[in-house]
Amino acid sequence: MSIKPRGDLQRRTLPRSHPGVVIIAGFLALSAIGGALLALPLSQTDSASMTAGDALFTSVSAVTVTGLVVHDTATAWTTFGQVVILVLIQIGGLGIMTLAGFMGLVVSRRMSVRAGMLAGTEIGLTHLGPLRPLVRSLVKFVFISEAVLTVALASRFLIGTSGATEGEIARPIFDGLFHAISAFNNAGFSTIGGGLESYVDDWFVSLVIAGGFIVGGLGFPVIFELARQWQAPRIWSLHTKVSLTFTVMLLVGGTAMIALLEWGNEQTLGALDPVDRLLAAFFQSATARTAGFNTLSIDSLHPSTWLVLVLLMVIGANSASTGGGIKTTTVAVALQAAYGQLRGDRDVTIFGRRIPTRIQQQALALVVVALGTVGTAAFLLAVVEPDIPAVELLFEAASAFGTVGLSTSVTPSLGTLGRFIVIVLMFVGRVGPITFGTAFLFRAETQRFRFPEDDLMVG
């Protein structure tokens, strides 16, 4: 005989099946597996003084496609360890549930309703129609894009290897593959010593890698729509119009601000030719929106430039992309809502379309939660790491939340508590503050009453 659970018991047990809980559990499990593999002596070079905590931190950073590291990826890890990091980046960037759903389609040519729901929630594509063909197209697009990037980068890295041995030739090819996957997934890991600073004036490498993470950060809805009707901007959806407009604005505005602030800094742009200065400023503007690569020394930038990068990192990429952050459309709606409120407009409109109140509330909630999360984390880091300047800790917190990976070299010097705070930030940033919050605060039952309305003075 079955016994029907009481209402309060049912309310406690239902959230466990919430998609957000499953997604978080999947990322935690993958991080643990990756940490165990990276902790093996097989993954570490002889010169690496690695702890289990270092391995776990690196695994979390790779799974959340962040790129913050406590040891140099090029020297601390063996080829096996770098392959483990690469696989973690690929799975974490594409999405655990998305990849599982795709494998189910390949093996059994079917995807369960729940698998489709989880994949759609994870990548934010539940509103675009049937998920089976969508997931298949998404995975194909990712792999094809990464293959093109691999060929381009490997070809460039192979220049100058004529007469080299087979092993010496294999390394540039692997570096091309690694940077292609890392770039498209906005991860920021690099197997080149010193990162990409040696390529600061290399237009080919800079533009190819920047193109990879810009495309990866556009968002799959935007990419699919552009593929279908790129010649008809008039009929693009509002989401595509806002995403592309805000992306261009951030790229141009960020480039101009970085160039203005760093033009005469001999340790950054000042050491380059004028044209190369623009390239480096553009690259840093683009990479700050969740990619994490750097062609300039972040430590050598002015503090004012750090604050510009903090803003770009918190805003992040577009929705349903491989990037993190608040997302461009969220910021666009929040800004337009504030502007409309100041003007006394009855409706909030963008490109001649009215934005529903529900969307405005979601955008404002996300901005408040995100800024509160970054601010709180920076405060906690300042408490546990009092010897590190607050602006550097704020930079680190914004980088972790935006899953960016840029660093002022603070991460390796953080203690256990500081690294734990950064790990939590990376998880929240990758899963999304709203998904993370609703996974634990979601109401299993519909609220059947409303409180009386009353006035409250604000402002």
Side-chain angles (χ1 to χ4, degrees):
M1 181 178 68
S2 61
I3 299 176
K4 184 177 181 180
R6 292 173 53 188
D8 57 342
L9 179 61
Q10 185 179 20
R11 180 172 178 173
R12 283 195 295 268
T13 57
L14 276 177
R16 295 179 185 174
S17 62
H18 187 277
V21 175
V22 179
I23 292 170
I24 292 172
F27 276 103
L28 287 173
L30 182 60
S31 297
I33 295 172
L37 291 174
L38 291 176
L40 297 174
L42 179 63
S43 299
Q44 305 167 16
T45 61
D46 295 335
S47 61
S49 55
M50 199 78 61
T51 65
D54 295 339
L56 179 61
F57 187 96
T58 304
S59 176
V60 172
S61 183
V63 169
T64 58
V65 292
T66 302
L68 288 174
V69 295
V70 291
H71 292 279
D72 182 41
T73 307
T75 58
W77 306 105
T78 63
T79 301
F80 176 81
Q82 292 172 355
V83 169
V84 171
I85 293 173
L86 191 63
V87 172
L88 294 176
I89 291 172
Q90 184 69 87
I91 298 176
L94 185 58
I96 299 171
M97 305 305 163
T98 306
L99 189 59
F102 176 75
M103 294 304 296
L105 286 173
V106 171
V107 175
S108 62
R109 298 185 179 277
R110 59 179 297 183
M111 178 190 291
S112 67
V113 175
R114 179 160 180 76
M117 178 184 69
L118 290 172
T121 301
E122 185 176 47
I123 57 181
L125 297 178
T126 53
H127 64 292
L128 292 185
L131 282 168
R132 295 178 187 178
L134 199 60
V135 168
R136 186 183 293 110
S137 299
L138 185 152
V139 175
K140 287 182 179 178
F141 174 78
V142 170
F143 288 157
I144 291 173
S145 299
E146 291 173 349
V148 172
L149 290 171
T150 298
V151 172
L153 291 174
S155 300
R156 173 62 184 86
F157 293 153
L158 280 169
I159 294 177
T161 59
S162 57
T165 64
E166 183 176 340
E168 292 172 334
I169 292 177
R171 189 66 213 185
I173 295 176
F174 177 77
D175 288 340
L177 173 65
F178 192 99
H179 284 82
I181 294 177
S182 184
F184 187 84
N185 289 281
N186 282 244
F189 281 86
S190 176
T191 53
I192 297 176
L196 297 178
E197 291 184 29
S198 58
Y199 293 93
V200 63
D201 56 352
D202 190 313
W203 283 72
F204 185 83
V205 171
S206 294
L207 292 181
V208 168
I209 290 182
F213 58 67
I214 289 174
V215 171
L218 281 179
F220 299 115
V222 174
I223 292 171
F224 290 156
E225 184 165 4
L226 291 179
R228 291 194 308 267
Q229 46 198 26
W230 64 275
Q231 293 178 315
R234 287 187 175 182
I235 61 174
W236 286 350
S237 66
L238 179 61
H239 174 80
T240 295
K241 290 179 180 178
V242 173
S243 297
L244 292 178
T245 301
F246 219 84
T247 295
V248 173
M249 289 173 57
L250 289 175
L251 287 174
V252 174
T255 300
M257 288 299 298
I258 294 172
L260 179 65
L261 294 171
E262 296 293 326
W263 195 265
N265 186 348
E266 291 297 327
Q267 293 181 300
T268 56
L269 297 184
L272 303 172
D273 293 334
V275 178
D276 293 334
R277 295 182 195 183
L278 293 177
L279 172 66
F282 166 77
F283 190 91
Q284 287 308 133
S285 173
T287 194
R289 296 180 50 243
T290 84
F293 292 101
N294 63 288
T295 55
L296 297 175
S297 172
I298 302 300
D299 295 353
S300 301
L301 297 174
H302 294 308
S304 55
T305 308
W306 286 346
L307 294 179
V308 172
L309 296 179
V310 165
L311 178 62
L312 294 173
M313 290 189 294
V314 171
I315 293 175
N318 295 335
S319 300
S321 71
T322 58
I326 298 175
K327 302 298 191 300
T328 55
T329 48
T330 303
V331 176
V333 171
L335 290 176
Q336 193 64 17
Y339 178 70
Q341 185 66 33
L342 294 175
R343 283 173 51 91
D345 294 338
R346 180 178 178 181
D347 297 320
V348 174
T349 59
I350 301 178
F351 287 116
R353 293 292 186 269
R354 180 166 51 88
I355 307 301
T357 303
R358 173 180 56 85
I359 302 298
Q360 298 177 44
Q361 292 174 339
Q362 289 178 354
L364 292 172
L366 184 52
V367 170
V368 170
V369 170
L371 295 181
T373 300
V374 173
T376 301
F379 169 75
L380 293 176
L381 286 173
V383 171
V384 300
E385 302 288 349
D387 296 330
I388 301 177
V391 65
E392 295 185 26
L393 294 175
L394 174 62
F395 189 95
E396 215 74 9
S399 181
F401 174 80
T403 67
V404 180
L406 294 178
S407 176
T408 57
S409 300
V410 165
T411 301
S413 61
L414 293 177
T416 302
L417 286 177
R419 292 186 185 185
F420 177 76
I421 293 170
V422 172
I423 284 176
V424 173
L425 272 177
M426 291 190 291
F427 264 112
V428 174
R430 177 62 184 90
V431 175
I434 297 300
T435 300
F436 193 89
T438 54
F440 302 103
L441 301 177
F442 177 73
R443 286 182 180 270
E445 295 178 345
T446 303
Q447 191 172 3
R448 294 186 175 88
F449 63 90
R450 300 179 70 185
F451 289 99
E453 186 179 276
D454 205 342
D455 288 331
L456 179 67
M457 295 178 63
V458 296

Coordinates of all heavy atoms in Angstrom, one line a residue, residues 344-402:
G344 N 10.2 58.6 -16.8 CA 8.8 58.4 -16.5 C 8.0 57.7 -17.6 O 6.8 57.9 -17.7
D345 N 8.7 56.9 -18.4 CA 8.1 56.1 -19.5 C 7.1 55.1 -18.9 O 7.5 54.4 -17.9 CB 9.1 55.5 -20.4 CG 9.9 56.5 -21.2 OD1 9.4 57.7 -21.3 OD2 11.0 56.2 -21.6
R346 N 6.1 54.8 -19.5 CA 5.1 53.8 -19.1 C 5.7 52.4 -19.3 O 5.5 51.5 -18.5 CB 3.8 54.0 -19.8 CG 2.7 53.0 -19.4 CD 1.4 53.3 -20.1 NE 0.4 52.3 -19.7 CZ -0.8 52.3 -20.2 NH1 -1.2 53.2 -21.1 NH2 -1.7 51.3 -19.8
D347 N 6.3 52.2 -20.5 CA 6.8 50.9 -20.9 C 8.3 51.0 -21.1 O 8.9 52.1 -21.4 CB 6.2 50.4 -22.2 CG 4.7 50.2 -22.0 OD1 4.3 49.7 -21.0 OD2 3.9 50.6 -23.0
V348 N 9.0 49.9 -21.0 CA 10.4 49.8 -21.3 C 10.5 49.2 -22.7 O 10.0 48.1 -22.9 CB 11.2 48.9 -20.2 CG1 12.6 48.7 -20.7 CG2 11.1 49.5 -18.9
T349 N 11.1 49.9 -23.6 CA 11.2 49.4 -25.0 C 12.7 49.4 -25.5 O 13.5 50.2 -25.1 CB 10.4 50.3 -25.9 OG1 10.9 51.6 -25.8 CG2 8.9 50.3 -25.5
I350 N 12.9 48.4 -26.3 CA 14.2 48.3 -27.0 C 14.0 47.9 -28.4 O 13.3 47.0 -28.7 CB 15.1 47.2 -26.3 CG1 15.4 47.5 -24.8 CG2 16.5 47.1 -27.0 CD1 16.2 46.5 -24.1
F351 N 14.6 48.7 -29.3 CA 14.3 48.5 -30.8 C 12.9 48.4 -31.1 O 12.5 47.6 -31.9 CB 15.1 47.2 -31.2 CG 16.6 47.4 -31.3 CD1 17.4 46.6 -30.5 CD2 17.2 48.3 -32.2 CE1 18.8 46.7 -30.5 CE2 18.5 48.4 -32.3 CZ 19.3 47.6 -31.4
G352 N 12.1 49.3 -30.5 CA 10.7 49.3 -30.8 C 9.8 48.1 -30.3 O 8.7 47.9 -30.7
R353 N 10.4 47.4 -29.3 CA 9.7 46.3 -28.7 C 9.6 46.5 -27.2 O 10.5 46.9 -26.6 CB 10.4 45.0 -29.0 CG 10.4 44.6 -30.5 CD 8.9 44.2 -30.9 NE 8.9 43.7 -32.3 CZ 8.7 44.5 -33.4 NH1 8.6 45.8 -33.2 NH2 8.7 43.9 -34.6
R354 N 8.4 46.2 -26.7 CA 8.1 46.4 -25.3 C 8.7 45.2 -24.5 O 8.4 44.0 -24.9 CB 6.6 46.6 -25.0 CG 6.3 46.8 -23.5 CD 4.8 47.3 -23.4 NE 3.9 46.5 -24.2 CZ 3.3 45.4 -23.8 NH1 3.6 44.9 -22.5 NH2 2.5 44.7 -24.5
I355 N 9.4 45.4 -23.4 CA 10.0 44.4 -22.6 C 9.0 44.0 -21.5 O 8.6 44.9 -20.7 CB 11.3 44.8 -22.0 CG1 12.3 45.3 -23.1 CG2 12.0 43.6 -21.3 CD1 12.6 44.3 -24.2
P356 N 8.6 42.8 -21.4 CA 7.6 42.4 -20.3 C 8.2 42.7 -18.9 O 9.4 42.6 -18.7 CB 7.5 40.8 -20.5 CG 7.9 40.6 -22.0 CD 8.9 41.6 -22.3
T357 N 7.3 42.9 -18.0 CA 7.7 43.2 -16.6 C 8.5 42.1 -16.0 O 9.4 42.3 -15.3 CB 6.5 43.5 -15.8 OG1 5.7 44.6 -16.4 CG2 6.9 43.9 -14.4
R358 N 8.1 40.9 -16.4 CA 8.7 39.7 -15.8 C 10.2 39.7 -16.2 O 11.1 39.3 -15.4 CB 8.0 38.4 -16.4 CG 8.7 37.1 -16.1 CD 8.0 35.9 -16.6 NE 7.8 36.1 -18.1 CZ 8.7 35.7 -19.0 NH1 9.8 35.2 -18.6 NH2 8.4 35.9 -20.3
I359 N 10.5 40.0 -17.5 CA 11.9 40.0 -17.9 C 12.7 41.2 -17.2 O 13.9 41.0 -16.8 CB 12.0 40.2 -19.4 CG1 11.2 39.1 -20.2 CG2 13.4 40.3 -19.9 CD1 11.8 37.7 -19.9
Q360 N 12.0 42.3 -17.0 CA 12.7 43.4 -16.3 C 13.1 43.0 -14.9 O 14.2 43.3 -14.4 CB 11.8 44.6 -16.3 CG 11.4 45.2 -17.6 CD 10.4 46.3 -17.5 OE1 10.6 47.2 -16.6 NE2 9.4 46.4 -18.3
Q361 N 12.1 42.3 -14.2 CA 12.4 41.9 -12.8 C 13.5 40.9 -12.8 O 14.4 40.9 -11.9 CB 11.1 41.2 -12.3 CG 10.0 42.2 -12.0 CD 8.7 41.6 -11.6 OE1 8.5 40.4 -11.8 NE2 7.8 42.3 -11.0
Q362 N 13.6 40.0 -13.8 CA 14.6 39.0 -13.8 C 16.0 39.7 -14.0 O 17.0 39.3 -13.4 CB 14.4 38.0 -14.9 CG 13.3 37.0 -14.6 CD 13.0 36.0 -15.8 OE1 13.6 36.2 -16.9 NE2 12.1 35.1 -15.6
A363 N 16.0 40.6 -14.9 CA 17.3 41.3 -15.2 C 17.8 42.1 -14.0 O 19.0 42.0 -13.6 CB 17.1 42.3 -16.4
L364 N 16.9 42.8 -13.4 CA 17.3 43.6 -12.2 C 17.7 42.7 -11.1 O 18.6 43.0 -10.3 CB 16.1 44.5 -11.8 CG 15.8 45.7 -12.7 CD1 14.5 46.4 -12.3 CD2 16.9 46.7 -12.8
A365 N 17.0 41.6 -10.9 CA 17.4 40.6 -9.8 C 18.7 40.1 -10.1 O 19.6 39.9 -9.2 CB 16.3 39.5 -9.8
L366 N 19.0 39.7 -11.3 CA 20.3 39.1 -11.7 C 21.4 40.2 -11.4 O 22.5 39.8 -10.9 CB 20.3 38.7 -13.1 CG 21.6 38.0 -13.6 CD1 22.0 36.8 -12.7 CD2 21.4 37.5 -15.0
V367 N 21.2 41.4 -11.8 CA 22.2 42.4 -11.6 C 22.5 42.6 -10.1 O 23.7 42.7 -9.7 CB 21.8 43.8 -12.2 CG1 22.7 44.9 -11.8 CG2 21.8 43.7 -13.8
V368 N 21.4 42.7 -9.3 CA 21.6 42.9 -7.9 C 22.3 41.7 -7.2 O 23.3 41.8 -6.5 CB 20.2 43.1 -7.2 CG1 20.4 43.0 -5.7 CG2 19.6 44.4 -7.6
V369 N 21.9 40.5 -7.6 CA 22.5 39.3 -7.1 C 24.0 39.2 -7.5 O 24.9 38.8 -6.7 CB 21.7 38.0 -7.5 CG1 22.5 36.7 -7.2 CG2 20.4 38.0 -6.9
A370 N 24.3 39.5 -8.8 CA 25.6 39.4 -9.3 C 26.6 40.4 -8.6 O 27.7 40.0 -8.1 CB 25.7 39.6 -10.8
L371 N 26.1 41.6 -8.5 CA 27.0 42.6 -7.9 C 27.1 42.3 -6.4 O 28.2 42.5 -5.8 CB 26.3 44.0 -8.1 CG 26.3 44.5 -9.5 CD1 25.7 45.9 -9.6 CD2 27.7 44.6 -10.1
G372 N 26.0 41.9 -5.7 CA 26.1 41.5 -4.3 C 27.1 40.3 -4.1 O 27.8 40.3 -3.1
T373 N 27.1 39.4 -5.0 CA 27.9 38.2 -4.9 C 29.4 38.6 -5.1 O 30.3 38.2 -4.3 CB 27.6 37.2 -6.0 OG1 26.2 36.7 -5.8 CG2 28.5 35.9 -5.9
V374 N 29.7 39.4 -6.1 CA 31.1 39.8 -6.3 C 31.6 40.7 -5.1 O 32.7 40.5 -4.6 CB 31.2 40.6 -7.6 CG1 32.6 41.2 -7.8 CG2 30.9 39.7 -8.8
G375 N 30.7 41.6 -4.7 CA 31.1 42.5 -3.6 C 31.3 41.8 -2.3 O 32.3 42.0 -1.6
T376 N 30.4 40.8 -2.0 CA 30.6 40.0 -0.8 C 31.8 39.2 -0.8 O 32.6 39.1 0.1 CB 29.3 39.1 -0.6 OG1 28.2 39.9 -0.5 CG2 29.5 38.3 0.7
A377 N 32.1 38.6 -2.0 CA 33.3 37.7 -2.2 C 34.5 38.6 -2.0 O 35.5 38.1 -1.4 CB 33.3 37.0 -3.5
A378 N 34.6 39.8 -2.6 CA 35.7 40.6 -2.5 C 35.9 41.0 -1.0 O 37.1 41.1 -0.5 CB 35.6 41.9 -3.3
F379 N 34.8 41.3 -0.3 CA 35.0 41.6 1.1 C 35.5 40.4 1.9 O 36.4 40.6 2.8 CB 33.6 42.0 1.7 CG 33.5 42.1 3.2 CD1 34.1 43.2 3.8 CD2 32.9 41.1 3.9 CE1 34.0 43.3 5.2 CE2 32.9 41.2 5.3 CZ 33.4 42.3 6.0
L380 N 35.0 39.2 1.7 CA 35.5 38.1 2.4 C 37.0 37.8 2.1 O 37.7 37.4 3.0 CB 34.6 36.8 2.0 CG 33.2 36.9 2.5 CD1 32.4 35.7 2.0 CD2 33.1 37.0 4.0
L381 N 37.3 38.0 0.8 CA 38.8 37.8 0.5 C 39.6 38.8 1.2 O 40.8 38.5 1.6 CB 38.9 38.0 -1.1 CG 38.4 36.8 -1.9 CD1 38.5 37.1 -3.4 CD2 39.3 35.5 -1.6
A382 N 39.1 40.1 1.3 CA 39.9 41.1 2.0 C 40.0 40.7 3.5 O 41.0 41.1 4.2 CB 39.2 42.4 1.9
V383 N 39.0 40.0 4.1 CA 39.1 39.6 5.5 C 40.1 38.5 5.7 O 40.9 38.6 6.6 CB 37.7 39.1 6.0 CG1 37.8 38.5 7.3 CG2 36.7 40.3 6.0
V384 N 40.1 37.5 4.8 CA 41.0 36.4 5.0 C 42.4 36.7 4.4 O 43.4 35.9 4.7 CB 40.4 35.1 4.3 CG1 39.1 34.8 5.0 CG2 40.3 35.2 2.8
E385 N 42.5 37.7 3.5 CA 43.8 38.0 2.9 C 44.1 39.5 3.1 O 44.1 40.3 2.1 CB 43.8 37.7 1.4 CG 43.5 36.2 1.0 CD 44.7 35.3 1.4 OE1 45.8 35.8 1.7 OE2 44.5 34.1 1.4
P386 N 44.3 39.9 4.3 CA 44.5 41.4 4.6 C 45.7 42.0 4.0 O 45.8 43.2 3.9 CB 44.5 41.4 6.1 CG 45.0 40.1 6.5 CD 44.5 39.1 5.5
D387 N 46.7 41.2 3.6 CA 47.9 41.8 3.1 C 47.9 42.1 1.6 O 48.8 42.7 1.0 CB 49.1 40.8 3.3 CG 49.4 40.6 4.8 OD1 49.1 41.6 5.6 OD2 49.8 39.5 5.2
I388 N 46.8 41.7 0.9 CA 46.7 41.9 -0.5 C 45.8 43.1 -0.8 O 44.7 43.2 -0.1 CB 46.1 40.7 -1.2 CG1 46.9 39.4 -1.0 CG2 45.9 40.9 -2.7 CD1 46.4 38.1 -1.6
P389 N 46.2 44.1 -1.6 CA 45.4 45.3 -1.9 C 43.9 44.9 -2.3 O 43.7 44.0 -3.1 CB 46.1 46.0 -3.0 CG 47.5 45.5 -2.9 CD 47.4 44.1 -2.4
A390 N 43.0 45.7 -1.8 CA 41.6 45.4 -2.0 C 41.2 45.4 -3.5 O 40.4 44.6 -4.0 CB 40.7 46.4 -1.3
V391 N 41.8 46.3 -4.3 CA 41.5 46.4 -5.7 C 41.9 45.1 -6.4 O 41.2 44.7 -7.4 CB 42.1 47.7 -6.3 CG1 43.6 47.5 -6.3 CG2 41.6 47.9 -7.8
E392 N 43.0 44.5 -6.0 CA 43.4 43.3 -6.6 C 42.5 42.1 -6.3 O 42.2 41.2 -7.1 CB 44.8 42.9 -6.2 CG 45.9 44.0 -6.7 CD 47.3 43.5 -6.4 OE1 47.5 42.3 -6.3 OE2 48.2 44.4 -6.3
L393 N 42.0 42.1 -5.0 CA 41.0 41.1 -4.6 C 39.7 41.3 -5.4 O 39.0 40.3 -5.7 CB 40.8 41.2 -3.1 CG 42.0 40.8 -2.3 CD1 41.8 41.0 -0.8 CD2 42.5 39.4 -2.5
L394 N 39.3 42.5 -5.6 CA 38.1 42.8 -6.3 C 38.2 42.3 -7.8 O 37.3 41.7 -8.3 CB 37.7 44.3 -6.3 CG 36.6 44.7 -7.2 CD1 35.3 44.1 -6.8 CD2 36.5 46.3 -7.2
F395 N 39.4 42.5 -8.3 CA 39.7 42.1 -9.7 C 39.6 40.5 -9.7 O 39.0 40.0 -10.7 CB 41.1 42.5 -10.1 CG 41.4 42.3 -11.5 CD1 41.3 43.3 -12.5 CD2 41.9 41.0 -12.0 CE1 41.6 43.0 -13.8 CE2 42.2 40.8 -13.3 CZ 42.0 41.8 -14.2
E396 N 40.2 39.9 -8.8 CA 40.1 38.4 -8.7 C 38.7 37.9 -8.6 O 38.3 36.9 -9.2 CB 41.0 37.9 -7.6 CG 41.8 36.6 -7.8 CD 42.9 36.9 -8.8 OE1 43.3 38.0 -9.1 OE2 43.5 35.8 -9.2
A397 N 37.9 38.5 -7.7 CA 36.5 38.1 -7.5 C 35.7 38.3 -8.8 O 34.9 37.4 -9.2 CB 35.9 38.9 -6.4
A398 N 35.9 39.4 -9.5 CA 35.2 39.6 -10.7 C 35.6 38.6 -11.8 O 34.8 38.1 -12.6 CB 35.4 41.1 -11.2
S399 N 36.9 38.3 -11.8 CA 37.4 37.3 -12.8 C 36.8 36.0 -12.6 O 36.4 35.2 -13.5 CB 38.9 37.3 -12.7 OG 39.4 36.4 -13.7
A400 N 36.7 35.6 -11.3 CA 36.2 34.2 -11.0 C 34.7 34.2 -11.3 O 34.2 33.2 -11.9 CB 36.4 33.9 -9.5
F401 N 33.9 35.2 -10.9 CA 32.5 35.2 -11.1 C 32.2 35.2 -12.6 O 31.3 34.6 -13.1 CB 31.8 36.4 -10.5 CG 30.4 36.6 -10.8 CD1 29.4 35.8 -10.1 CD2 30.0 37.5 -11.8 CE1 28.1 36.0 -10.5 CE2 28.7 37.6 -12.1 CZ 27.7 36.8 -11.4
G402 N 33.0 36.0 -13.4 CA 32.7 36.1 -14.8 C 33.3 34.9 -15.6 O 33.3 34.9 -16.8

